[in-house]
Amino acid sequence: MSATRRFAPLFLSALLATGATGLARAQPNDNPLLTVSPLPLHYPQFDKLRDEHFAPALDQGMAEQLAEIQAIAENPAAPTFDNTIVAWEKSGRLLNRATTLLFSLLGADANPARQQLQTDYAAKLAAQRDAVLLNPKLFARVEALYAQRDSAAPNAEARRLIERYRRDMLRAGAQLNDEQKTRMKAINGELATLSARFNKAVLAEVNDSAIVVDSAEELAGLSAAQIAAAAEAAKKRGLEGKYLIALLNTTIQPFETDLQNRALRERLHRASVARGARGNEFDTRAIVSRVMTLRQERAALLGYATPAAFVLEEETAKSADTVNALLRQLAPAAMASARQEAAELQKLIDSEQAARNQPSFALQAWDWSYYAEKLRAAKYGFDESQLKPYLEITSVLERGVFHAANQLYGISFKRRADLPVYRDDVRVYDVFDTNGKQLAIFIADLYARPSKRGGAWANAYVGQNALEGTSPVVANHLNIPKPPAGEATLLTWDEVNTLFHEFGHALHAMFNKSRYPGLARVPRDFVEYPSQVNEVWADWPSVLASYAKHYKTGAPMPRELLDKVARAKRFNQGYTTVSYLSAAIVDQRLHQLKAGEIPAAEGVVDFEARVLKEEGIAFGPVPPRYKLPYFSHIMGGYSAGYYAYIWSEVLDADTVEWLKAKGGLKRANGDALRAKMLSRGGSEDAMQLFRNLVGHEPDINPLLERRGLVVQKP
């Protein structure tokens, strides 16, 4: 979701998205980045910010941080927690402000100038991180504090912070010799540049691969609003009279559910899976190969057998063997469920084709979503089109997501229109705590746009910081297709769940009360846990009753439709699980390769296919959720970490059972979640936070029950 403020430049440049113009230098008195924003909670001055402000702020910020770090390292006084660790915590404010805004906007609203900045500064920011973490005098001070941490730290949280800084420096290469450090710096600089190139190429390829359709008749199955939006998108590209289907970054495209034209579904699907491997200027296979080669070399320099071993040491899973065991435990049951689902879909296809006196055809990947929706309608008596009129975006957000948070935690929300935004359709809300005092500002950026990276995510423009007295400014970003002007935005059930999920991340950031910013982060395979727990409220009866109202009449969703939704919870879970596990397994296998095993560019796609076959999870009708040439997660903050979603879901499903046993949507449960987990950040071992909350070790059975999977124990 976000990085610690000390190292935000490198982490964010890898995690966020997405070139081409020179930038004029802004004068200091014209640059809002050079001073703390005077707006409430230091909310960004989007209305005053121009692209040419970034370079001067980055340059000055890097210089200031290096001077601050050098002063700490050269301090003649003996190292203390305050003059070393706290001083480090307070360093780099300007650089953090500039990088946070730049990389947040690169994800949400990229343009050529911002992309060029990312390209220009990727290696510089990596070098900045190395200059801090590989500073030998700074490491000597941290090492001295670590040796006497029991007496040097004023409390347990401070001791943990000393340990955190030392571990960060060791993992950066602080104990390498000079020659090794030189090579490490070169690796980090090249990786940062490659990450910027990959993200830029993925965004460009998504836009370049959009499907142009000649007639509205070919779009049969789409709603009038969707067809109008496709016509408007084509018009914006100068294709008057045609229709444009924009792609999202996942393999399966949303319109595959609705399009009746099988040939168009196939065309859409093939365009999706070909991205990044077409041999054009946006081909990313060489980048993937080179990144993996460099990651392997970096891991070896630091004494790790593979990049996965390096990454997983810091996660709650701890080892590749543990992750492999979980994924391989789930894969056979998921495949069995997916094959059973496929057989049902094939029967439906055969039946329909026979009724038309037409030859049948074998189920393909571009058929699955379309026929699955038909099968759901047949089995449970409803389809997505019946739900959507009751899922209007504002109602879901304000009377659903916010309502659940109010009932559970006692916090309240008020929309405000006086703060500047970077796009007109971005919404801003004040968030008030139980005592009526302002807790945070929440930004909701919910609509897709060509300048926005794919997927959904949360980030903090301003983090909670007890040392500096700042409160959070937190944003959620989704990619919901925007309807034509005047039309209501009606969500799919998956989009509803995504809204609740991402707000779980926002709550985690809002409630954090770690004294030290360096302890704000949690392991990647834990960070999804609170957000996945928050999804439970999407179909909680009292929450649904609050927001699921017809967008025209205000009538509540009929009880029988609610019951059908509940009964269909396990529907298509084999498909969903296999699609996810395929990507997670490929990620792990790729990062578990040793030197000499990394595939060359031309072998990247074949490597993926071979892994799926070897792991027994290759199934043509169910492709991986992401394929390697556009798998942005693993080129950024989730390298060797895409398993985190299913790992976190084990904790999530177990916690949901705890919530249900405790009465569900009650303030007492919210208070416990907030006090024992959401407010703690990384101030305590992540798994201990889980145990403190639910009172036992994680149990996989609630996850299996939720997904309808039966797993054989090893």
Side-chain angles (χ1 to χ4, degrees), residues 196-216:
R197 283 178 53 200
F198 182 89
N199 290 327
K200 180 181 176 183
V202 167
L203 180 60
E205 179 79 319
V206 165
N207 292 323
D208 190 65
S209 299
I211 298 296
V212 179
V213 179
D214 292 330
S215 68

Side-chain angles (χ1 to χ4, degrees), residues 336-605:
S337 295
R339 290 188 184 280
Q340 185 177 21
E341 292 165 3
E344 289 188 273
L345 295 179
Q346 188 64 59
K347 285 181 182 178
L348 178 58
I349 292 170
D350 294 344
S351 174
E352 282 198 358
Q353 292 300 100
R356 297 187 183 111
N357 291 316
Q358 295 178 355
S360 191
F361 52 83
L363 173 72
Q364 300 292 339
W366 50 87
D367 298 315
W368 191 295
S369 298
Y370 179 74
Y371 284 98
E373 195 59 33
K374 286 193 169 196
L375 184 61
R376 174 166 32 202
K379 292 183 73 169
Y380 300 101
F382 81 97
D383 60 28
E384 194 78 62
S385 65
Q386 290 174 273
L387 291 179
K388 291 181 76 170
Y390 298 95
L391 305 177
E392 190 275 326
I393 192 169
T394 301
S395 183
V396 174
L397 179 63
E398 297 181 357
R399 296 199 291 268
V401 175
F402 292 171
H403 172 77
N406 172 261
Q407 296 298 296
L408 190 62
Y409 303 109
I411 60 177
S412 56
F413 305 82
K414 183 179 180 181
R415 189 169 179 179
R416 60 188 301 170
D418 59 319
L419 292 176
V421 291
Y422 51 88
R423 284 280 182 153
D424 291 342
D425 52 15
V426 172
R427 312 176 187 206
V428 182
Y429 295 85
D430 282 330
V431 186
F432 300 98
D433 212 337
T434 54
N435 58 8
K437 294 183 179 179
Q438 187 158 14
L439 174 69
I441 291 175
F442 174 67
I443 300 171
D445 179 3
L446 306 180
Y447 289 110
R449 62 181 72 96
S451 60
K452 195 178 197 179
R453 72 179 177 97
W457 70 97
N459 69 281
Y461 282 97
V462 181
Q464 182 274 340
N465 186 334
L467 289 179
E468 298 179 13
T470 62
S471 297
V473 177
V474 183
N476 278 173
H477 305 272
L478 277 70
N479 268 283
I480 296 167
K482 192 171 185 178
E487 296 277 350
T489 304
L490 305 179
L491 305 185
T492 65
W493 186 247
D494 184 61
E495 288 165 345
V496 170
N497 272 284
T498 302
L499 263 177
F500 277 87
H501 176 101
E502 294 305 329
F503 196 71
H505 286 307
L507 288 169
H508 204 177
M510 292 178 192
F511 288 153
N512 176 49
K513 291 299 178 187
S514 303
R515 174 164 177 77
Y516 306 107
L519 292 180
R521 60 175 159 163
V522 298
R524 284 180 306 186
D525 58 5
F526 192 83
V527 75
E528 298 298 335
Y529 160 47
S531 56
Q532 291 179 182
V533 170
N534 203 58
E535 291 180 38
V536 70
W537 311 121
D539 62 354
W540 197 261
S542 64
V543 179
L544 255 176
S546 175
Y547 75 81
K549 300 179 186 296
H550 198 282
Y551 78 105
K552 287 184 177 178
T553 67
M557 184 184 288
R559 179 74 251 176
E560 58 269 24
L561 187 53
L562 292 177
D563 291 341
K564 291 173 182 177
V565 172
R567 287 198 300 271
K569 268 189 159 184
R570 291 182 178 175
F571 179 74
N572 216 38
Q573 279 298 306
Y575 174 92
T576 301
T577 308
V578 167
S579 178
Y580 164 77
L581 288 176
S582 298
I585 287 171
V586 169
D587 169 36
Q588 277 305 309
R589 286 284 300 272
L590 185 66
H591 284 89
Q592 290 173 25
L593 295 175
K594 295 182 173 65
E597 298 177 340
I598 309 295
E602 60 274 12
V604 164
V605 174

